[in-house]
Amino acid sequence: MADEISTLMINNRDKDVLLRLRNDKTIHGTLKEFDIHMNLTLENAEDITDETPVKLNTILLRGDNILLISLPKE
Amino acid sequence: MADEISTLMINNRDKDVLLRLRNDKTIHGTLKEFDIHMNLTLENAEDITDETPVKLNTILLRGDNILLISLPKE
Amino acid sequence: MADEISTLMINNRDKDVLLRLRNDKTIHGTLKEFDIHMNLTLENAEDITDETPVKLNTILLRGDNILLISLPKE
Amino acid sequence: MADEISTLMINNRDKDVLLRLRNDKTIHGTLKEFDIHMNLTLENAEDITDETPVKLNTILLRGDNILLISLPKE
Amino acid sequence: MADEISTLMINNRDKDVLLRLRNDKTIHGTLKEFDIHMNLTLENAEDITDETPVKLNTILLRGDNILLISLPKE
Amino acid sequence: MADEISTLMINNRDKDVLLRLRNDKTIHGTLKEFDIHMNLTLENAEDITDETPVKLNTILLRGDNILLISLPKE
Amino acid sequence: MADEISTLMINNRDKDVLLRLRNDKTIHGTLKEFDIHMNLTLENAEDITDETPVKLNTILLRGDNILLISLPKE
């Protein structure tokens, strides 16, 4: 068992991820940094919840808002 | 008493599990990694809440969203 | 005062318990394992909220969803 | 100042208490055990929210669901 | 800066306080004991949310339900 | 980086502050004491959410209800 | 992996940031101080949720209300 599963995310740095949030929003972007709380930074982030994406550019997202992260295929 | 019941999940690695979430969604997939917060990774994950499943592929799901995990029969 | 009241549950291992959850669901099953967070495993679990029970088989339920546990008479 | 106010409950062991819960339910029963999280066990517990009481017998109730406990007069 | 502001409450022991709760209820009573979580006991407590007060007598109230406490003038 | 940003509040003791709460209420008063949880005491506090202010006098407000504090200009 | 991702914010001190809050409000201002809980101070803060911005001047915002922070391009 990994001490903290967030360490798994290290394989996904610089890759595109899809975040489903607890408020039912969906965010897409390139994973850059993260910490053990799953706080993370994304580059080229977009809110793609609705049909027209909303550009968010570089964001720092608090991990406690995350439902799940779709990781890229290795 | 197990120190942390999440250690029980070690018997279910690589097995198919069903997750009921606190937001009433149901997710199905193959359990890979997990930590003491019940943060976990699933492969071949699908959101099977509605009649038409939605493919999520490999996901990292935050444990605090989980209501219960249906474990496979040993 | 017990250090952690969850230790009281040790007398109820292998007995049938009834769980009332914070989301107003009722789950019935045989108590197997548990930890200090009241995370617990049930065998032969059923969601008996509605008239027709839904079989859940072996489940791991996160303790923070529990309102109360009806314990069997000793 | 008491280190943990839950120690005050020790005077009320084996006495009848009334619990108001955060979900607006009212539970009545005889206080037996408790811990510093206000997790507690009641015997002869009844849900008296509605006019017709619902017997719960012996219950273990998670303290984080409690709004307040009406203590018996000393 | 006080280590824990709850120590300020020590000046208000045996005085009448008014509690506004997070669930919009208002409770009135005489402050007796409290701890660092703002768990507190009131004597002669009354729920004065509605026009007709509801007597609660001696209560132990969990601090995490409190919005604010109106303290008496010194 | 300050160890705890609440130490910044020390410059604002005895000054008038405006609190926006998570429940959409707005409270105005003179900041007196506070701790690292942002629990704070206000003198001459008023609930100014509605057009007619409601006098609260001296209050102790739990920090976890705060959205933001408008600080006075230095 | 950064110990705490909040240290990334040090590069953005004195820069303009946009905050999306969990209550769906949007706040704009100049980032000054912050701590590991993402509690932060903004100068020249404005609530720009609705078409007419509401001036908030200098604010201290509790980090647990934050959904995400749009950081300026480096």
Side-chain angles (χ1 to χ4, degrees):
Chain A
M1 184 169 62
D3 284 344
E4 292 289 343
I5 206 170
S6 56
T7 58
L8 292 176
M9 290 166 68
I10 208 157
N11 301 320
N12 295 300
R13 194 171 286 170
D14 296 320
K15 303 217 178 116
D16 286 351
V17 296
L18 198 72
L19 305 180
R20 312 272 168 134
L21 304 185
R22 293 176 80 152
N23 67 359
D24 288 324
K25 300 237 175 202
T26 306
I27 307 279
H28 173 271
T30 308
L31 181 64
K32 302 307 286 188
E33 301 289 332
F34 56 89
D35 65 17
I36 59 162
H37 309 293
M38 288 197 204
N39 298 325
L40 49 80
T41 53
L42 295 180
E43 290 190 354
N44 302 313
E46 286 183 317
D47 178 338
I48 59 170
T49 312
D50 299 317
E51 252 177 76
T52 313
V54 178
K55 279 192 190 307
L56 301 170
N57 298 314
T58 300
I59 62 170
L60 189 166
L61 191 136
R62 277 180 66 97
D64 53 5
N65 298 293
I66 295 172
L67 173 62
L68 63 85
I69 307 176
S70 284
L71 302 173
K73 296 235 173 187
E74 290 189 47
Chain B
M1 184 169 62
D3 284 344
E4 292 289 344
I5 206 169
S6 56
T7 58
L8 292 175
M9 290 166 68
I10 208 158
N11 300 320
N12 295 300
R13 195 172 286 169
D14 296 320
K15 302 215 178 119
D16 286 351
V17 296
L18 198 71
L19 305 181
R20 311 272 169 137
L21 304 185
R22 294 174 80 152
N23 68 358
D24 288 323
K25 300 238 175 201
T26 306
I27 307 279
H28 173 270
T30 308
L31 180 64
K32 302 306 285 189
E33 301 290 332
F34 56 89
D35 65 18
I36 60 162
H37 309 294
M38 287 196 206
N39 298 325
L40 49 80
T41 52
L42 296 180
E43 289 190 355
N44 302 313
E46 286 183 318
D47 178 338
I48 59 170
T49 312
D50 299 316
E51 251 177 76
T52 313
V54 178
K55 278 192 190 307
L56 302 170
N57 298 315
T58 299
I59 62 170
L60 189 166
L61 190 136
R62 276 180 66 99
D64 53 4
N65 297 293
I66 295 172
L67 173 64
L68 63 85
I69 307 176
S70 285
L71 302 172
K73 298 236 172 188
E74 290 189 47
Chain C
M1 183 169 62
D3 284 344
E4 292 288 343
I5 206 170
S6 56
T7 57
L8 293 176
M9 290 165 68
I10 209 157
N11 300 321
N12 295 300
R13 195 172 285 170
D14 295 321
K15 301 215 178 120
D16 286 350
V17 296
L18 197 71
L19 305 181
R20 312 272 169 134
L21 304 186
R22 293 176 80 152
N23 68 358
D24 288 324
K25 300 238 174 199
T26 306
I27 307 279
H28 173 271
T30 308
L31 181 64
K32 302 306 286 188
E33 300 290 332
F34 56 89
D35 65 19
I36 60 162
H37 309 295
M38 287 196 205
N39 298 324
L40 49 81
T41 52
L42 297 180
E43 289 191 353
N44 301 314
E46 286 183 317
D47 179 338
I48 59 170
T49 312
D50 299 317
E51 251 178 76
T52 313
V54 178
K55 279 193 191 307
L56 301 169
N57 298 315
T58 299
I59 62 170
L60 189 166
L61 191 135
R62 276 180 67 98
D64 53 4
N65 297 293
I66 295 172
L67 174 64
L68 62 85
I69 307 176
S70 286
L71 302 173
K73 297 236 172 187
E74 290 188 48
Chain D
M1 184 170 60
D3 284 344
E4 292 288 344
I5 207 169
S6 57
T7 59
L8 293 176
M9 290 166 69
I10 209 157
N11 300 322
N12 296 299
R13 194 171 285 169
D14 295 321
K15 303 216 177 117
D16 286 351
V17 296
L18 198 72
L19 305 181
R20 311 273 168 134
L21 304 186
R22 293 175 80 152
N23 67 359
D24 289 323
K25 300 239 174 200
T26 306
I27 307 279
H28 174 270
T30 307
L31 181 63
K32 302 306 285 189
E33 301 290 332
F34 56 90
D35 65 19
I36 59 161
H37 309 293
M38 288 197 205
N39 298 325
L40 48 81
T41 53
L42 297 179
E43 289 191 354
N44 301 314
E46 285 183 318
D47 179 338
I48 59 170
T49 311
D50 299 317
E51 252 177 76
T52 313
V54 178
K55 279 192 190 308
L56 301 169
N57 298 315
T58 299
I59 63 171
L60 189 166
L61 190 134
R62 276 180 66 98
D64 53 4
N65 298 293
I66 295 172
L67 174 63
L68 62 85
I69 307 176
S70 286
L71 302 173
K73 297 235 173 189
E74 290 188 50
Chain E
M1 184 170 60
D3 283 345
E4 291 288 343
I5 206 169
S6 57
T7 58
L8 293 176
M9 290 166 68
I10 209 157
N11 301 321
N12 296 299
R13 195 172 285 169
D14 295 322
K15 302 216 177 118
D16 286 350
V17 296
L18 197 72
L19 305 181
R20 312 271 168 135
L21 304 185
R22 293 176 80 151
N23 67 358
D24 289 323
K25 301 239 173 199
T26 306
I27 307 279
H28 173 270
T30 307
L31 181 64
K32 301 307 285 189
E33 301 290 332
F34 57 89
D35 65 17
I36 59 162
H37 309 294
M38 289 197 205
N39 298 325
L40 48 81
T41 52
L42 297 179
E43 289 191 353
N44 302 314
E46 285 183 318
D47 179 338
I48 59 169
T49 312
D50 298 318
E51 252 177 75
T52 314
V54 178
K55 280 193 190 306
L56 301 170
N57 299 315
T58 300
I59 62 170
L60 189 167
L61 190 135
R62 276 179 67 98
D64 53 4
N65 297 293
I66 296 173
L67 174 63
L68 62 86
I69 307 176
S70 286
L71 301 173
K73 297 234 172 189
E74 289 189 50
Chain F
M1 183 169 62
D3 284 344
E4 290 288 344
I5 206 169
S6 56
T7 58
L8 293 175
M9 291 166 67
I10 209 157
N11 301 321
N12 296 299
R13 196 173 284 170
D14 296 321
K15 302 216 178 118
D16 286 350
V17 296
L18 197 71
L19 305 181
R20 312 272 168 133
L21 303 186
R22 294 175 80 152
N23 67 359
D24 289 323
K25 301 239 174 199
T26 306
I27 307 279
H28 173 270
T30 308
L31 181 64
K32 302 306 286 188
E33 301 289 332
F34 57 89
D35 66 17
I36 60 162
H37 308 295
M38 288 198 204
N39 298 324
L40 48 82
T41 52
L42 295 180
E43 290 191 353
N44 302 314
E46 286 183 317
D47 179 337
I48 59 169
T49 312
D50 298 317
E51 252 178 75
T52 313
V54 178
K55 279 192 190 305
L56 301 170
N57 298 315
T58 299
I59 63 170
L60 189 166
L61 190 135
R62 277 179 67 98
D64 53 4
N65 297 293
I66 296 172
L67 174 62
L68 62 86
I69 308 176
S70 285
L71 301 173
K73 296 234 173 189
E74 289 189 49
Chain G
M1 183 169 63
D3 284 344
E4 291 289 343
I5 206 169
S6 57
T7 58
L8 293 176
M9 291 166 67
I10 208 157
N11 301 321
N12 296 299
R13 195 172 285 170
D14 297 320
K15 302 217 178 117
D16 286 351
V17 295
L18 197 72
L19 305 181
R20 313 272 167 133
L21 304 185
R22 293 176 80 151
N23 67 359
D24 288 323
K25 301 238 175 199
T26 305
I27 307 278
H28 173 271
T30 307
L31 180 65
K32 303 307 286 188
E33 301 289 332
F34 57 89
D35 65 17
I36 60 161
H37 309 294
M38 288 197 205
N39 298 325
L40 48 81
T41 53
L42 295 180
E43 290 191 354
N44 302 313
E46 286 183 316
D47 178 338
I48 58 170
T49 312
D50 298 318
E51 253 178 75
T52 313
V54 178
K55 279 193 190 306
L56 301 170
N57 298 314
T58 299
I59 63 170
L60 189 166
L61 190 136
R62 277 179 67 97
D64 53 4
N65 297 293
I66 295 173
L67 174 63
L68 63 85
I69 307 176
S70 285
L71 302 173
K73 295 236 173 187
E74 289 189 47

